[in-house]
Every structure is written in structure tokens, then in C-alpha cells.
Amino acid sequence: MRIYSTTDVGQKRQVNQDYVYASAEPVGNLPNLFIVADGMGGHNAGDYASSHAVQTIVKEIEEDRDYNPVKVIRHAIETANTKIIEDANNDVRLKGMGTTMVVATIVGHYAYVANVGDSRLYVIQGQIRQVTKDHSLVQEMVRMGEISEEEARKHPDKNIITRALGAESTIDIDFFDLKLEPESCILMCSDGLSNMVSDEEIEQIVLSEDTIENRGKLLVERANSNGGKDNIAIVLAEPFANEVKEC
């Protein structure tokens, strides 16, 4: 497996409220773990929300004795949600904070994915496909047929999300599982990438012949050259890279 992860403050923000975690090694009973979080809140609250939510999730997964990846991830996200709410209630400086979350683990030839908010997971298998569904006001309008995908990209309310950790005591998590092919590449990202770089551009960069590190850096550079209006977070993973192919 080859992985590359990074965050970047972008061109317009002073504070980086995105946070990533990427481990190709086992975390608890999960064989690997990948997380992207995009925090929100004034001052340092968004930074705190994303980093502490991810750290809580990793700790919970390390201690969980269950082997079912969906149950393990669900429990960890629910615990992180409770912790974010408790911290916000105990510190007025953190009031109103929250964070999006997309979490994935790869077990054999399957990826198990959870998401809350508008951070995304794509799979590139010959062509790009968005696996997660954004929990945002504008994407709800797209799903209802009220506006097109192209209109959604430029809509003034595109940053209004409808789900986040820290918003409600009971959290609604979407889960997906997908079968991976030998050439599959997974991209997880915050909206600082997906709002700045089109799916077509992302596909072109990810499918290029460069190293995974250079492709990851180019995604960030492209987001910044296109405006860099938000923090940028990415995790790139090639699950079956370096494996010996059977003849």
C-alpha cells in the first residue's frame, strides 16, 4: 500500500482547521485507518474540533475489541461527537464548534467508509467516482432536482452543511462499502479541494504517471492556483500498490 496525506492553509485563511490521519499499519483491530476532518468555529474552535475529534476516534478504535469495522467506526465517531459537545459546553471559547468527518478502512478488497458533512471520498478506478454524499444545503437542492451540479459549484450557500460532529447529541452517519480493483486509488479530501478543483482535474492528476507524493502535492497546488479559498486536506491511498501480481 502506498499513501500520502497533507493539509494546507490555502490562500485566504489565517488558521488551518483541517486535520488528517493516515496509517497503513493496524489501529486496534482495523488493518489501517484514514481520516479527513474539516473544522468550523470562531478563533481556534474549528482547529480544536477537527484535531480533537480525530484524536478521539483514533483512541477509541485502538481500544475497541470489536472486529466489525462498521461498528468500530460508528462507536468511535459517536464518542467523538459526544466529546466535542461536552468540550463546547464546558468552554465558552469553543461554543458552536463542529467538524465534518470522513473515515475509511480497507479490509481485503473492500473499503468501509463513514461520512458526516461535506468532506469526500472518491475512488478512481479507470474513472473518478464520488462515493460519499455531501450533507450540505446545496447538495440537497441538487438531489431534489432544484439546481444542477454546475450551479451547485458556484452557489453562494455551498458551504452550509446539514450534518457535523458537535451539532446534535445524536449523530446521523452515512456508511458505504465498495469493492476495490487492483488499480484502485482512493482520495479523501475536504471541500477546500473539491470546491477548487473539478472532478475532471482531480481524475487527470490522480491518474498521471507521477509518484503518489507528487500527485498529492499537485492536487494542493492546483487548489491554491485556482483560488485556495479554504484550507485543503487530502489523503491519497493506493491499497494494492507494490503487490506482486499473479501470472
Side-chain angles (χ1 to χ4, degrees):
M1 180 184 291
R2 284 195 292 254
I3 60 173
Y4 176 76
S5 63
T6 192
T7 65
D8 189 272
V9 72
Q11 300 294 303
K12 305 294 184 183
R13 301 294 177 91
Q14 299 301 312
V15 177
N16 190 349
Q17 297 186 333
D18 286 2
Y19 197 88
V20 300
Y21 178 89
S23 174
E25 301 302 317
V27 179
N29 288 331
L30 299 184
N32 45 66
L33 182 63
F34 310 100
I35 311 173
V36 168
D38 180 356
M40 64 206 77
H43 305 292
N44 292 324
D47 178 26
Y48 182 97
S50 59
S51 61
H52 282 257
V54 172
Q55 291 161 13
T56 300
I57 286 171
V58 172
K59 182 176 181 291
E60 290 297 315
I61 290 174
E62 287 174 341
E63 298 175 354
D64 201 318
R65 301 277 66 88
D66 205 311
Y67 283 91
N68 183 308
V70 172
K71 289 182 179 179
V72 170
I73 293 171
R74 181 189 297 279
H75 176 260
I77 293 176
E78 289 173 345
T79 302
N81 182 61
T82 300
K83 183 76 164 62
I84 293 299
I85 292 172
E86 289 175 351
D87 289 352
N89 288 337
N90 292 332
D91 188 338
V92 67
R93 295 171 298 177
L94 303 177
K95 186 174 178 61
M97 71 174 174
T99 184
T100 70
M101 187 70 61
V102 57
V103 183
T105 187
I106 298 161
V107 183
H109 285 266
Y110 286 85
Y112 297 90
V113 183
N115 90 293
V116 180
D118 62 355
S119 292
R120 295 179 176 180
L121 183 142
Y122 293 93
V123 63
I124 299 94
Q125 298 177 160
Q127 61 183 15
I128 192 168
R129 177 169 68 91
Q130 182 182 339
V131 175
T132 54
K133 292 178 172 56
D134 297 352
H135 303 137
S136 68
L137 180 65
V138 167
Q139 280 303 309
E140 291 294 339
M141 294 166 69
V142 171
R143 284 193 278 273
M144 295 293 289
E146 296 173 7
I147 61 173
S148 68
E149 286 284 0
E150 184 58 33
E151 289 171 323
R153 291 186 64 83
K154 301 172 183 176
H155 199 283
D157 294 332
K158 66 182 178 183
N159 292 324
I160 299 177
I161 63 172
T162 54
R163 293 190 214 171
L165 276 75
E168 303 283 348
S169 58
T170 301
I171 190 162
D172 191 6
I173 310 165
D174 282 357
F175 283 91
F176 307 87
D177 60 82
L178 60 147
K179 190 173 191 301
L180 301 173
E181 303 298 333
E183 74 281 3
S184 294
C185 183
I186 286 172
L187 169 65
M188 299 163 65
C189 65
S190 63
D191 65 345
L193 179 73
S194 57
N195 281 342
M196 291 288 101
V197 186
S198 69
D199 288 4
E200 291 75 21
E201 288 180 282
I202 292 173
E203 178 182 3
Q204 182 182 32
I205 292 169
V206 173
L207 290 178
S208 68
E209 294 296 319
D210 215 332
T211 66
I212 192 169
E213 180 178 357
N214 286 344
R215 283 178 280 154
K217 290 178 177 178
L218 184 55
L219 287 170
V220 173
E221 288 172 10
R222 187 68 57 84
N224 278 324
S225 65
N226 287 351
K229 294 180 180 178
D230 202 349
N231 306 146
I232 305 151
I234 68 163
V235 173
L236 265 178
E238 294 177 331
F240 310 118
N242 301 326
E243 289 190 0
V244 177
K245 294 183 179 179
E246 297 181 359
C247 296

